């Protein structure tokens, strides 16, 4: 019997905080298990250790209420940053997790000029055969962030920038040689997400799980 894939969700929220975004993950993953054979675990970011690199087939890095532009927050998540640097396994970073992937490769996180990008938006994707999460040209997504990955020409030497929005140049990134993907939006949705955003988000999450 083939071994089940194991996906680790790294929880980047504080223990006493249960935002509506993060709470959707277990519900969605339970739905997906009826289609794909896999197990999953949820690990708080401060409990990451070397065993997770060895015993996990893929990682999902959650969103967070923290601001990664602050040096003390970067230090707080140093173990997770080190994990991203060390692993060649598939990684999907969501919102804060997306920014954390960029930070792991040395790129700065900054406050947005528009202060807060939120609600449902349509993104146009630059389609190429390197991006396996979605083969659609346009997707509806739910945004909720106050910080962003600072765009630069150096960033595009390491990552393919797959999508941008009016206020955020770096909405989706795909590492050029590793299966590391960051998405600034919330594919897991929430009670404020539109039906289109929920469906497109589920589609991308399922594709990640399928390819782990």
């Amino acid at each position: 019997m083939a071994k089940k894939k194991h996906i680790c969700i790294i929880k980047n929220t504080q223990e006493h905080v249960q935002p509506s975004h993060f709470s959707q993950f277990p519900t969605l993953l339970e739905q997906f298990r009826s289609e794909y054979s896999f197990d999953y675990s949820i690990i708080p970011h401060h409990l990451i250790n070397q065993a997770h690199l060895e015993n996990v087939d893929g990682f999902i890095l959650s969103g967070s209420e923290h601001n990664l532009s602050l040096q003390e927050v970067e230090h707080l998540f140093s173990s997770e940053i080190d994990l991203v640097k060390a692993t060649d396994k598939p990684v999907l970073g969501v919102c804060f997790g997306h920014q954390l992937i960029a930070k792991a490769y040395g790129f700065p996180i900054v406050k947005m000029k528009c202060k807060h990008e939120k609600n449902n938006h349509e993104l146009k994707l630059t389609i190429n055969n390197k991006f396996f999460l979605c083969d659609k040209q346009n997707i509806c997504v739910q945004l909720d962030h106050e910080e962003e990955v600072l765009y630069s020409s150096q960033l595009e030497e390491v990552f393919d920038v797959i999508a941008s929005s009016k206020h955020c140049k770096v909405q989706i990134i795909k590492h050029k040689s590793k299966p590391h993907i960051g998405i600034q939006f919330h594919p897991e949705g929430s009670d404020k997400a539109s039906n289109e955003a929920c469906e497109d988000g589920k589609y991308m999450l399922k594709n990640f799980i399928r390819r782990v």
Side-chain angles (χ1 to χ4, degrees), residues 130-190:
K130 299 177 183 178
F131 191 59
F132 60 82
L133 284 194
C134 188
D135 56 4
K136 301 170 68 173
Q137 187 172 6
N138 297 286
I139 57 172
C140 186
V141 302
Q142 186 189 19
L143 297 168
D144 188 5
H145 64 114
E146 299 176 356
E147 297 195 326
E148 64 179 330
V149 178
L150 181 65
Y151 175 81
S152 66
S153 58
Q154 289 80 10
L155 181 74
E156 294 218 63
E157 293 175 4
V158 179
F159 293 98
D160 293 317
V161 178
I162 305 294
S164 305
S165 67
K166 178 180 178 181
H167 298 293
C168 177
K169 176 75 172 176
V170 189
Q171 283 286 349
I172 303 177
I173 53 175
K174 164 71 173 68
H175 194 276
K176 289 182 180 292
S177 60
K178 291 185 176 184
H180 295 177
I181 295 173
I183 52 179
Q184 183 59 74
F185 49 91
H186 286 273
E188 73 276 26
S190 75

Side-chain angles (χ1 to χ4, degrees), residues 8-70:
C8 178
I9 302 176
I10 299 179
K11 183 180 179 183
N12 293 320
T13 58
Q14 297 182 41
E15 288 303 307
H16 66 279
V17 175
Q18 187 76 309
S20 59
H21 292 297
F22 183 84
S23 63
Q24 303 300 314
F25 271 119
T27 301
L28 286 176
L29 292 178
E30 287 299 327
Q31 292 176 11
F32 298 162
R33 288 176 76 179
S34 65
E35 300 179 48
Y36 306 108
S37 178
F38 70 96
D39 291 323
Y40 70 91
S41 57
I42 298 175
I43 305 294
H45 69 90
H46 60 278
L47 296 181
I48 295 169
N49 57 49
Q50 184 64 29
H52 293 114
L53 282 174
E54 299 169 356
N55 301 323
V56 170
D57 299 299
F59 299 90
I60 297 176
L61 318 182
S62 83
S64 178
E65 71 281 0
H66 292 285
N67 291 323
L68 196 53
S69 63
L70 301 176

Side-chain angles (χ1 to χ4, degrees), residues 67-71 73-74 99 103 109-111 147:
N67 291 323
L68 196 53
S69 63
L70 301 176
Q71 188 172 2
V73 174
E74 181 180 348
Q99 297 167 11
K103 174 63 73 173
I109 311 303
V110 297
K111 294 285 187 183
E147 297 195 326

